[in-house]
Amino acid sequence: MTQRLYYHDSFLYDFEAEVWEIAESPKPALVLDKTAFYPSSGGQIHDTGVISAGNESLNVIEVADAEDGRVVHYLEAPPKQIKPGTTIRGRIDPARRRDHMQQHTGQHVLSAAFIRLFNMPTVSFHMGDDYCSIDLETPVLTREQVEQSERLANEIILENRPVQIRFVTRDEAAKLGLRKIPPAERDQLRLIDIQEFDLNACGGTHVNQTGQIGCILLRKTEKVRPGWRVEFVAGQRGIATARRDFTTLTEAGATFSAHIYDVPQQISKSLEEIRNLRKQREQSLEELAEAQAAALLVETSRVDGRKVVTRAFSARELNFIKLLAQKLTRLDSNVIALLGSTSPQPSLVFAQSAGLTSDMGSLLKQTVSTFGGRGGGSKDMAQGGIQSAERIEEALKYASTSLRG
Ligand SMILES: [Zn+2]
């Protein structure tokens, strides 16, 4: 078994060790007699760093626990000079380790806060590159509970309580009233003791004083099985996240020429304005269609008792053309409307007053098949489009001629 130096000192970033074994496949890797590199486990992600000897320096890109208790250091490239028996120097990335210790110890404090205040146990912990999360076993989680737990966790950080590592036997752990005693593997348990606040068996890396966590910021909460997931960031991540939030809000505020705290109110106000304008626009279009339909009917002379209104527009949406066709065929009980628009889409709308005997659906189908397009509809109302805007006039003329024939 590899001796784990981080068990006793989480701030040991530089160490010497002897190479036990070198593996080449599937990935180049080293096993040492002892290591300060933390392997991914218990929700905490692995360290990275450098292993060197003589002129050779190898990047450690991943660290994992093997089943037999050895720690495997995966390397970017296979070693050339380093052999079994070589004494190496290992250096872990201190910024990455510090970040992991802040997140991980932050999780201990936060989980204990949820237990102390609301008796909500943490059932799992996840550490990602951007944020961390815990899953709480609870059917309900309110915003107040989240805020209270955040406040208590940050008070414990401000009190700068000692975080101590203790090794005890399983019996001693049971006597200490440990909530979760891990399944039997070793007789000795490693306990992390946050003075008079939390006691847990854990193999991860932790800060020495709660003050080193810096801060805890709770973020999104979401319902998951079997309870609630709470996202959080601690330490420098907390500051980086707050900075990003502030930048985003500042940009939004500048768009509205408003203070950042007034952004939600400004958004509601703008949405309300958009809704009102949309309503006004619909009403105006309705009125415009009504007036235009009346004017078109006056202009069009009646032939054999029937008025055929043929008209092409530019820059009218299909919906407006349809509305106009409806108005035309309702204002007069003996009207056929053959309408088109060249843009934004070259479109056609054919309609007739209810009770007339032509078939607009088949007339439209016939027209679009002649001019290259698609469309269809019912006996009284049909719509479609053709590819070429320049041929709209021609298509309308064709439809009007077909109607007479
Ligand atoms: Zn831990």
Side-chain angles (χ1 to χ4, degrees):
M1 269 172 50
T2 309
Q3 191 193 334
R4 293 159 195 254
L5 300 170
Y6 60 83
Y7 266 177
H8 305 275
D9 185 1
S10 294
F11 288 83
L12 180 70
Y13 299 150
D14 198 324
F15 66 100
E16 282 195 349
E18 189 186 305
V19 176
W20 264 359
E21 208 184 310
I22 293 176
E24 276 170 16
S25 70
K27 287 182 282 186
L30 277 181
V31 177
L32 307 169
D33 65 337
K34 51 183 177 291
T35 189
F37 280 92
Y38 185 79
S40 291
S41 58
Q44 185 179 332
I45 42 186
H46 62 85
D47 287 316
T48 57
V50 175
I51 286 177
S52 59
N55 298 329
E56 187 162 35
S57 186
L58 302 161
N59 287 333
V60 177
I61 52 172
E62 199 188 324
V63 188
D65 255 327
E67 275 175 19
D68 57 8
R70 294 177 311 158
V71 176
V72 185
H73 305 75
Y74 290 102
L75 307 168
E76 200 171 42
K80 292 194 179 91
Q81 292 157 26
I82 294 174
K83 302 271 180 282
T86 306
T87 299
I88 59 91
R89 184 180 175 196
R91 276 164 297 163
I92 64 172
D93 178 342
R96 182 176 163 100
R97 164 63 71 83
R98 230 176 357 244
D99 170 56
H100 292 176
M101 289 195 290
Q102 287 183 322
Q103 309 313 312
H104 184 80
T105 319
Q107 180 258 310
H108 278 247
V109 173
L110 184 60
S111 291
F114 274 110
I115 281 280
R116 293 227 162 196
L117 292 173
F118 310 111
N119 200 26
M120 292 176 186
T122 295
V123 289
S124 71
F125 164 54
H126 164 79
M127 187 192 286
D129 288 332
D130 296 330
Y131 64 87
C132 306
S133 65
I134 52 172
D135 286 357
L136 296 170
E137 196 183 325
T138 173
V140 187
L141 180 67
T142 66
R143 195 168 133 181
E144 287 72 29
Q145 288 172 325
V146 167
E147 286 174 9
Q148 282 180 47
S149 303
E150 183 183 64
R151 197 175 312 126
L152 176 58
N154 281 294
E155 274 164 17
I156 297 300
I157 290 171
L158 280 175
E159 287 168 13
N160 202 23
R161 297 189 188 207
V163 180
Q164 282 167 326
I165 306 167
R166 288 162 61 182
F167 291 90
V168 297
T169 64
R170 307 187 73 82
D171 289 346
E172 284 166 337
K175 276 182 208 141
L176 286 167
L178 222 62
R179 267 181 292 108
K180 270 197 294 189
I181 296 185
E185 260 179 39
R186 286 181 287 271
D187 193 43
Q188 273 228 315
L189 287 178
R190 181 178 185 256
L191 302 186
I192 302 303
D193 187 354
I194 301 175
Q195 194 179 68
E196 290 170 24
F197 192 65
D198 185 46
L199 185 65
N200 253 304
C202 181
T205 57
H206 309 84
V207 295
N208 293 334
Q209 305 270 146
T210 56
Q212 292 166 322
I213 298 168
C215 63
I216 294 184
L217 179 64
L218 267 53
R219 308 274 296 164
K220 200 174 93 179
T221 59
E222 66 176 319
K223 187 102 186 67
V224 291
R225 256 185 292 178
W228 282 82
R229 178 162 299 163
V230 179
E231 290 179 9
F232 71 93
V233 278
Q236 287 291 2
R237 286 194 196 195
I239 304 298
T241 306
R243 167 63 47 199
R244 200 161 59 224
D245 291 354
F246 181 74
T247 305
T248 307
L249 269 176
T250 302
E251 279 174 27
T255 308
F256 289 107
S257 304
H259 188 275
I260 59 167
Y261 296 154
D262 296 331
V263 166
Q265 200 194 337
Q266 288 292 337
I267 290 173
S268 303
K269 214 172 108 186
S270 295
L271 288 176
E272 182 65 30
E273 274 172 23
I274 291 169
R275 268 192 294 272
N276 288 338
L277 287 172
R278 212 172 266 161
K279 227 181 269 171
Q280 282 175 24
R281 182 175 181 271
E282 269 166 33
Q283 208 181 331
S284 301
L285 283 177
E286 184 90 22
E287 285 169 14
L288 178 64
E290 183 101 20
Q292 206 156 15
L296 283 170
L297 286 174
V298 172
E299 284 170 23
T300 311
S301 40
R302 211 176 284 275
V303 179
D304 299 333
R306 191 172 71 173
K307 286 188 177 188
V308 178
V309 179
T310 309
R311 186 61 66 101
F313 297 90
S314 61
R316 284 287 184 210
E317 301 216 341
L318 177 63
N319 276 345
F320 179 78
I321 305 285
K322 271 167 73 179
L323 191 61
L324 184 59
Q326 275 168 10
K327 299 283 180 199
L328 283 165
T329 53
R330 279 174 200 169
L331 284 174
D332 191 302
S333 61
N334 202 346
V335 166
I336 290 183
L338 305 174
L339 308 178
S341 176
T342 53
S343 67
Q345 300 293 329
S347 33
L348 296 169
V349 173
F350 298 169
Q352 69 182 1
S353 305
L356 298 190
T357 52
S358 299
D359 186 340
M360 296 297 115
S362 63
L363 179 64
L364 192 113
K365 273 209 178 102
Q366 190 191 328
T367 309
V368 292
S369 77
T370 308
F371 288 84
R374 289 202 314 194
S378 68
K379 184 178 151 292
D380 287 345
M381 169 72 92
Q383 68 183 70
I386 61 172
Q387 274 151 20
S388 162
E390 291 81 50
R391 300 191 73 192
I392 285 286
E393 290 262 13
E394 202 187 327
L396 291 174
K397 235 172 249 161
Y398 169 86
S400 148
T401 311
S402 311
L403 200 60
R404 266 182 264 131

